[in-house]
Amino acid sequence: MSALRARLGSSVFLSRLLYHSINKSKPIKCLTIAANGYSGKPLVTSKYSTVSHQQPAETTKGNTERKEFQAETRMLLDIVARSLYSDKEVFIRELISNASDALEKFRYLSVSATPESQKLENMDRALEIKLTTDKQNRTLTFEDSGIGMTKEELVSNLGTIARSGSKSFIEEIKKQGAEQASSIIGQFGVGFYSAFMVADKIEVFTRSSVAGSPGYKWSSDGSGTYEIQEVDGVPIGTKIVVYLKTDCREFSDDATVKNIIMKYSNFIGSPILLNSEQINSIKPLWLMESKEVTQEQHIEFYRFISNSYDKPRFTLHYKTDAPLSIRSILYVPEGKPGLFELSRDSDVGVALYSRKILIKSKAENILPKWLRFVKGVVDSEDIPLNLSRELLQNSALIAKLRTVLTNRFLKFMVDTANKDPVGYDAFYKEYSLFFKEGIVTNQNSLEKEEIGKLLRFESSKLENGVKTSLADYNARQTNDQKNIYYLAAPSRELAQSSPYYESLKKRDVEVLFCYEMYDELVLLELKEFGGRSLVSVENDMQKDPTDSSESIIGSDDLQQGQVNELVSFLKSNLSGKVFEVRTTQKLDSHPCVIIVPEMAAARHFIRTQAQSLSDENRFALLRPQLEINPKHPIIKKLHKLTSSDKELANMVAQQLFSNAMVTAGLLMDARNLITNINDLLVKALEKH
């Protein structure tokens, strides 16, 4: 059942067509027949047409039976040949897969104790797949020494598209409780017919492994009919001769075919020979035990699948049978991420295999988009594949596979960070952006927290340059602290001098410093970690707005009446810019701060969307509040200026507001302040 043995599974729908018949009254003179028809004379073969010299040529015997494909075959053949596959080259993958199926079927039956196994002959033959190119005659020939087919199986497997011999075989042995044939690939019944994308005609020569079975020739141009004829001189197994269309002659070039084999079928368990040279030499490491694989093998394999020259930084060799059957190797590259990997438009770097056959080199949905920097291979026999193996059908199952792989990779990275903190820190500097993207784009709160375990930040309690995890932050806190505090700033120096940090610093509360532009958005999206809420220190200032503005603050400070006068002045002077003015006791060395709801979101809005808005509309959306420190010398002096020098008081008030907006990161372009600062200096220096 090699080439065909499988890929044919539900019935067909198609109308008939004409049949390019060839002369069946004369014996075949050469193993590979020219694409322009049979002339009855021996053909001149190319230097690669060696198979005909290695075994006797087939000779026809008896009458030819012409049959119609079941149902209306032409329409379905058109779908298969023109629409189902995106690349014509995959027909080579499909026919090799079918040949592999045939070999696996024979291997299974040869070691099983079934009645069928007693009937097999030539049990010790070499099990291999041979391909032969012939440029001159424009043919590509596939041969395997597998199970072969009887006449009934030929009609059943090749006369009906979408009836898969492999699928039937697996179902049968599973009824008997056997799992040894799990390496059989065929799941649908159209893979064989993908060859009609490139073929004017296909001939199949086959003989069953059952002792005494005759050989048969099956031929069709894919138009709706096929012919079967008994043939002598056919070895056990199956041979498929693909007569290529003129515009597909590149598939008779050995270099082209070799590249396709290496791309799709390099990990087939049986030897694949192209013009007597074995092509598939790299072992499928993901099917081996992790302890058996050396670092040198991992490096070679990583370079092969990633098409790169660096080494894997971290390697996860993962196997499980529950809840899904998964065999995988995932690599984290040693080099820095490239521009294409940084872009969300790039493909995920993990290849999807099913029983060592490449299904898709850049498989979507197997890992989330934010893990696109990961290279590797995932092989699962549980994955349902569509007719062309190019699209995945069962979204629920694929989602489960993605969840299992993602969680296992995250656990692996957490373990790696604990075992090798220095190596992880070096990796984090270059790849942290992907984890942050994972949190921002993820809808699963549990998965967000798992990603959160990989985040690293500097802390007010640690030395400059030393980073900590959220888990370690939590471990250092007392049980009565309900929050994880963080502060966004361009640098540690600015963070430590921030007015928003002053209050927590006085209370000796640990604060995480976020230096990257989008860190605060990431933590805003994460919301909580380890049972503690993630709170920006700016938002913390708003949680206790009950600073008493009705009591006298101190003998040297402004009295309550003076405070009320200054608040009224600022509201009037900054009308349209601030929507509330009040005092605060949380400041010490700073005269004032700006407070807006959700400061991180506000800053993101200013950076990305506020450019087209007028100042008036921007302030209306932000609705900033100005909180003043009545103990600060500038604020006390400003109160005096409101009565002694109104103009200078106005200028100082405007400058204080602008300074507070800069400190809050809510000013789009600080260059606009220069003119106001110069005017203020001129006014201040008038008396000197």
Side-chain angles (χ1 to χ4, degrees):
M1 271 180 236
S2 65
L4 348 338
R5 46 287 243 186
R7 238 114 275 246
L8 319 339
S10 70
S11 7
V12 236
F13 330 157
L14 313 78
S15 45
R16 6 177 148 112
L17 241 205
L18 30 144
Y19 172 73
H20 301 338
S21 60
I22 61 172
N23 193 334
K24 291 152 293 289
S25 61
K26 300 180 182 180
I28 300 176
K29 300 298 179 69
C30 180
L31 181 64
T32 304
I33 301 175
N36 56 358
Y38 174 62
S39 66
K41 299 179 181 180
L43 296 171
V44 178
T45 60
S46 74
K47 65 178 181 178
Y48 295 122
S49 298
T50 59
V51 180
S52 59
H53 300 296
Q54 298 172 349
Q55 57 190 43
E58 301 88 353
T59 56
T60 57
K61 177 182 177 181
N63 298 325
T64 299
E65 296 182 49
R66 176 177 295 185
K67 296 177 178 289
E68 295 181 0
F69 286 109
Q70 184 177 337
E72 295 110 335
T73 311
R74 181 180 177 184
M75 184 194 309
L76 188 53
L77 283 173
D78 284 344
I79 294 173
V80 171
R82 298 176 188 171
S83 306
L84 195 59
Y85 294 87
S86 58
D87 295 311
K88 291 182 178 180
E89 65 184 24
V90 298
F91 86 93
I92 295 177
R93 175 190 73 184
E94 297 295 330
L95 296 188
I96 290 177
S97 299
N98 289 340
S100 176
D101 287 350
L103 296 174
E104 294 296 339
K105 290 177 186 178
F106 178 77
R107 283 193 184 97
Y108 170 76
L109 291 176
S110 65
V111 298
S112 65
T114 61
E116 291 83 356
S117 64
Q118 308 301 318
K119 303 175 184 178
L120 302 179
E121 64 173 314
N122 196 8
M123 302 277 284
D124 58 349
R125 64 183 182 271
L127 299 181
E128 57 190 13
I129 302 168
K130 298 179 181 178
L131 279 72
T132 307
T133 58
D134 187 341
K135 277 187 177 181
Q136 181 172 335
N137 293 312
R138 217 167 61 239
T139 62
L140 176 59
T141 302
F142 298 77
E143 295 179 81
D144 69 72
S145 52
I147 194 71
M149 285 181 284
T150 63
K151 180 180 179 181
E152 291 72 21
E153 289 167 335
L154 260 180
V155 174
S156 176
N157 289 336
L158 300 193
T160 304
I161 300 180
R163 186 198 182 287
S164 174
S166 292
K167 191 172 184 180
S168 301
F169 183 78
I170 291 175
E171 290 172 354
E172 184 61 33
I173 64 172
K174 284 188 175 180
K175 288 178 184 177
Q176 304 172 19
E179 296 295 338
Q180 293 94 322
S182 63
S183 58
I184 293 176
I185 302 152
Q187 293 292 323
F188 297 90
V190 298
F192 166 71
Y193 287 92
S194 64
F196 282 107
M197 291 188 295
V198 300
D200 283 326
K201 181 177 64 175
I202 297 175
E203 290 181 343
V204 178
F205 297 88
T206 186
R207 181 158 74 92
S208 173
S209 295
V210 176
S213 297
Y216 291 94
K217 171 189 172 184
W218 180 100
S219 61
S220 176
D221 63 355
S223 62
T225 63
Y226 61 92
E227 294 184 353
I228 293 181
Q229 186 175 18
E230 189 173 334
V231 177
D232 287 335
V234 179
I236 293 174
T238 301
K239 179 180 71 175
I240 305 172
V241 185
V242 180
Y243 295 85
L244 297 166
K245 297 176 181 178
T246 304
D247 60 350
C248 297
R249 62 171 63 248
E250 71 268 20
F251 297 114
S252 63
D253 176 72
D254 61 326
T256 300
V257 175
K258 180 178 180 179
N259 289 336
I260 295 170
I261 294 173
M262 294 180 67
K263 177 179 179 181
Y264 291 106
S265 307
N266 210 34
F267 303 108
I268 288 284
S270 302
I272 301 176
L273 285 74
L274 174 61
N275 301 322
S276 301
E277 175 192 357
Q278 183 169 344
I279 303 302
N280 57 331
S281 58
I282 298 181
K283 295 180 180 180
L285 300 188
W286 65 89
L287 298 181
M288 299 169 61
E289 293 298 325
S290 58
K291 295 180 181 178
E292 299 174 359
V293 184
T294 66
Q295 181 62 21
E296 289 70 24
Q297 286 177 305
H298 274 304
I299 292 173
E300 179 187 12
F301 185 66
Y302 165 78
R303 289 175 176 173
F304 172 79
I305 62 172
S306 65
N307 195 28
S308 61
Y309 298 98
D310 62 338
K311 299 177 182 179
R313 187 193 301 257
F314 305 125
T315 300
L316 170 60
H317 194 156
Y318 175 54
K319 296 171 64 175
T320 185
D321 293 310
L324 296 171
S325 172
I326 300 173
R327 303 291 183 269
S328 64
I329 292 182
L330 301 178
Y331 296 111
V332 173
E334 184 180 59
K336 295 181 179 181
L339 291 176
F340 291 109
E341 289 171 320
L342 291 173
S343 169
R344 280 186 55 82
D345 294 332
S346 65
D347 295 329
V348 174
V350 174
L352 175 63
Y353 283 74
S354 178
R355 303 174 180 92
K356 297 183 285 187
I357 293 294
L358 177 67
I359 305 304
K360 199 168 185 182
S361 59
K362 302 286 187 180
E364 298 177 3
N365 299 326
I366 300 302
L367 285 178
K369 199 75 171 175
W370 60 269
L371 283 178
R372 58 189 174 275
F373 65 90
V374 176
K375 311 297 180 186
V377 168
V378 175
D379 192 322
S380 176
E381 57 192 56
D382 292 328
I383 298 177
L385 308 170
N386 84 334
L387 300 180
S388 67
R389 299 185 184 173
E390 293 180 356
L391 299 173
L392 305 177
Q393 288 179 318
N394 191 328
S395 59
L397 187 60
I398 296 306
K400 182 183 291 186
L401 175 64
R402 181 172 62 250
T403 299
V404 171
L405 286 172
T406 302
N407 290 341
R408 184 62 186 86
F409 180 78
L410 288 173
K411 182 180 183 301
F412 166 73
M413 291 305 300
V414 170
D415 292 342
T416 299
N418 292 331
K419 294 175 183 177
D420 181 15
V422 175
Y424 180 79
D425 285 347
F427 156 78
Y428 186 80
K429 288 178 182 178
E430 297 169 353
Y431 286 87
S432 62
L433 179 65
F434 295 98
F435 296 140
K436 295 169 185 177
E437 177 189 322
I439 291 175
V440 172
T441 60
N442 209 312
Q443 303 302 316
N444 187 324
S445 58
L446 294 178
E447 193 168 293
K448 283 183 181 182
E449 180 145 341
E450 288 301 306
I451 304 173
K453 294 177 181 178
L454 298 170
L455 298 178
R456 297 292 185 270
F457 302 100
E458 286 195 17
S459 165
S460 61
K461 292 289 187 179
L462 301 177
E463 294 181 4
N464 186 15
V466 178
K467 293 188 176 181
T468 185
S469 66
L470 296 177
D472 288 342
Y473 176 100
N474 275 345
R476 291 191 291 269
Q477 310 312 312
T478 58
N479 292 333
D480 58 345
Q481 181 172 320
K482 306 301 182 184
N483 300 324
I484 298 174
Y485 295 100
Y486 64 90
L487 171 62
S491 67
R492 187 180 185 94
E493 182 181 7
L494 290 175
Q496 290 177 323
S497 62
S498 169
Y500 302 101
Y501 175 54
E502 281 189 346
S503 174
L504 291 172
K505 184 178 181 180
K506 283 191 294 185
R507 288 151 49 194
D508 196 32
V509 175
E510 182 174 0
V511 176
L512 299 176
F513 296 149
C514 306
Y515 304 141
E516 299 296 330
M517 183 179 296
Y518 297 108
D519 280 352
E520 55 182 342
L521 280 182
V522 173
L523 297 179
L524 184 66
E525 188 66 34
L526 184 56
K527 294 183 176 64
E528 63 178 39
F529 182 88
R532 286 185 168 94
S533 298
L534 287 152
V535 177
S536 165
V537 297
E538 297 147 331
N539 288 346
D540 180 66
M541 291 192 72
Q542 303 178 57
K543 290 186 177 180
D544 185 21
T546 58
D547 292 341
S548 176
S549 30
E550 307 194 353
S551 61
I552 296 176
I553 299 174
S555 58
D556 293 331
D557 300 327
L558 295 178
Q559 300 303 302
Q560 189 57 55
Q562 296 172 315
V563 169
N564 293 339
E565 292 172 357
L566 182 58
V567 167
S568 297
F569 168 79
L570 290 172
K571 285 182 178 180
S572 173
N573 185 268
L574 300 174
S575 176
K577 294 182 178 181
V578 299
F579 288 77
E580 183 63 50
V581 179
R582 67 185 187 191
T583 61
T584 180
Q585 295 181 0
K586 293 184 176 181
L587 294 177
D588 184 19
S589 61
H590 292 79
C592 60
V593 290
I594 286 291
I595 297 295
V596 299
E598 297 299 346
M599 189 77 83
R603 276 192 284 265
H604 181 68
F605 169 77
I606 290 295
R607 283 193 297 262
T608 59
Q609 302 177 45
Q611 292 85 347
S612 59
L613 296 178
S614 66
D615 289 345
E616 182 180 358
N617 290 337
R618 188 160 60 250
F619 291 132
L621 285 171
L622 293 175
R623 301 187 66 82
Q625 301 177 45
L626 181 66
E627 296 193 353
I628 61 173
N629 175 10
K631 297 176 291 183
H632 197 278
I634 293 179
I635 297 300
K636 290 189 284 187
K637 187 67 175 177
L638 177 60
H639 175 261
K640 291 182 179 180
L641 286 175
T642 57
S643 57
S644 63
D645 192 337
K646 204 97 170 180
E647 182 182 359
L648 181 57
N650 288 339
M651 296 175 71
V652 170
Q654 293 289 341
Q655 191 61 48
L656 283 173
F657 171 76
S658 297
N659 292 351
M661 289 290 285
V662 170
T663 303
L666 296 175
L667 201 65
M668 288 176 50
D669 191 346
R671 291 176 296 183
N672 294 328
L673 300 180
I674 301 300
T675 300
N676 296 336
I677 292 174
N678 289 337
D679 291 343
L680 179 59
L681 290 173
V682 169
K683 182 66 177 176
L685 295 173
E686 279 182 350
K687 298 178 181 179
H688 296 279

